Amino acid sequence: MDKPSTQTPRAEELSIRTPARTQPGKQTPAKRLSGPTALAALAGVAAAAVVLSVAELIGAFFTARATPVIALGSTFIDFTPPWMKDFAIATFGTNDKLALFVGMAVTILLLACVLGIVAYRKWALGVLGVLLMGAVIVGSVVTRASVKPLDAIPTLIGTAAGLIVLRFLITRLWRMRQWPDMEAGLAAKDPERPATSRRAFFAATGVTAAASAIAATGGRLLSAARSNVAQARDSLQLPAPAKPAAAVPAGVQSKTPGVTPWLTPNNDFYRIDTALSVPEINVQDWELRVHGLVDREVRLNFQDLLDAQLIESHVSLTCVSNPVAGNLAGNAKWLGMPIRDVLKMAGIKDGADMVLSTSIDGFSASTPLEVLQDDRDAMLAIGMNGQALPLEHGYPVRMVVPGLYGFVSATKWVVDLEVTRFADSKAYWTQRGWSERGPIKTMARVEVPKSFAKVPAGRVAIGGTAWAQTRGITKVEVQIDGGPWTEAVLSTELSVVTWRQWSFDWEATPGPHYIKARATDGTGEVQTEKRADPVPDGASGWQSLMVTVE
Ligand SMILES: Nc1nc2c(c(=O)[nH]1)N[C@H]1C(S)=C(S)[C@@H](COP(=O)(O)O)O[C@H]1N2
Ligand SMILES: [Mo]
């Protein structure tokens, strides 16, 4: 009696839509919404919710990055072409991950509806659908970096649970089809008819939904409770540097009120990465392997770093995805071990020209070897602004390389350095259409006034930040309404690897006005006017904004 009927879908809908009471053709849209197809779709959604939530709950006991939702999202990110990454960051900024989750939820919801309908019409196809869903999730779980095959277990159990729930719900629907009076909510005429109804179906679906929500929330809370990496980070004591940072002179901050703080607090530091779930690494487990074209492989643990001759310095980081006038840049004081020293321990073989650094979650960056060896003090950083690295910024160890965009240098949660050649390996974003090298382009940003601001006539303070890491900023010029370029007042420079702020006094007359700014770097080169998109190696062009003076 649980067998699906062999009627064609068309006939089957007819047989159900003509219960004794209802006249064909007189159905309201509301009625059709709760027809068998809609109910089957609902069953599909409930089953998918069970697959994901059960896996999420059991996943709390496995690697956090390997729970289905996180693994699926991460896989999606890995397949993101450069234009889409650029679009996502341009549109959603640092909310790009939230946008991804919303997109995923909608996609899963639609697929689950299809799954339910297919299962109702042909059970074998429904089974296939659930197994396919399980297979896709398992596939994306086990292909994550540093994930063990056993991490597939939560998904396997979730898939089995989803299949059972789908069978249970679809069976209720088949019964309704066999007894149309039941579907219509009429009293049973046929004594054979089991006591089930549309109401019972909704009750079962409701219970499933509630149980899924509880399981998913429970899984989340359990994972959080089981992780003590955040506490360990909070109580980590940083050693004093052998070479402390140069003292910050007075006057680094722009005199114009409202300009970004010269030193970016950790909480305000921009965050860009492919990690949907921040990797949680215990310092006891952390190890860096240095290998490839080296005389001897080197393995460093966290204690080795604490014991090393650490240096401290202010370095401004910049993201290649930062548009002209964008804020994907920050300036912090970093504490770490010079990468130069680590490479010396390993000994570099002839022919190497690149170091491929890889994070625990599979991101990688290709950094020119000479940049890691010269006196710009590229480091394996463990401290940021006097604290251990925040989890989102790479705890316990990340790379900080002055002068290069983050995507080719600033590997967070770094665990592997392979000394190699540009000709032999490609980094994460290079494989996805971005460039293999990424020196930071000279950029002047106007922060005050804001674009389209209304300002009172008279003396108006213009101000902002400029950067050209490793070359330094020697001049910022401002142009009003296409007039002459006039030099702004530069704030004090700390070093060529930190950004430099500026301010400019403008006698503003009423009406609309256009402000432009450009910087000159330490080599004397003026920032290019030529507009370029962030893809493939960073945006360029002069920022231009309109303000209204009243
Ligand atoms: N592991 C890992 N490290 C990473 C990335 C990443 O996706 N994964 N993104 C890089 C990019 S593109 C940038 S701009 C910087 C940003 O560092 P922040 O988030 O600390 O500002 O990190 C770099 N390091
Ligand atoms: Mo970036």
Side-chain angles (χ1 to χ4, degrees), residues 269-274 319 359 363 393 398 406 410 412-413:
F269 209 94
Y270 80 97
R271 174 188 167 198
I272 290 287
D273 54 58
T274 60
C319 181
S359 67
F363 166 89
H393 294 290
R398 74 171 305 165
K412 305 190 272 189
W413 316 290

Side-chain angles (χ1 to χ4, degrees), residues 19 21 113 115 126 207 211 234 237 268 273 288 292 296 299-300 311 340 368 438 473 507:
R21 230 172 33 164
C113 288
L115 171 71
V207 169
D234 291 344
Q237 296 290 322
D268 298 340
D273 54 58
L288 179 74
R296 60 207 89 79
R299 281 170 190 267
L300 287 181
I311 56 172
R340 199 171 46 231
I473 293 291
E507 277 306 322

Side-chain angles (χ1 to χ4, degrees), residues 85 89 270 272 318-322 328 405-407 429:
K85 179 214 183 202
I89 290 178
Y270 80 97
I272 290 287
T318 311
C319 181
V320 68
S321 298
N322 192 49
L328 300 177
Y405 288 120
F407 82 115
W429 285 113

Side-chain angles (χ1 to χ4, degrees), residues 1 58 82 87 128 215 306 311 356 359 367 408:
M1 122 175 19
I58 300 172
F87 167 82
L128 207 67
L306 295 178
I311 56 172
L356 188 75
S359 67
T367 312
V408 287

Side-chain angles (χ1 to χ4, degrees), residues 256 446-451 453 455 460-463 506 515 543 545 547:
T256 304
V446 182
E447 296 163 15
V448 178
K450 296 255 174 279
S451 188
V455 295
V460 171
I462 302 177
W506 170 41
I515 303 173
Q543 184 183 347
L545 60 150
V547 297

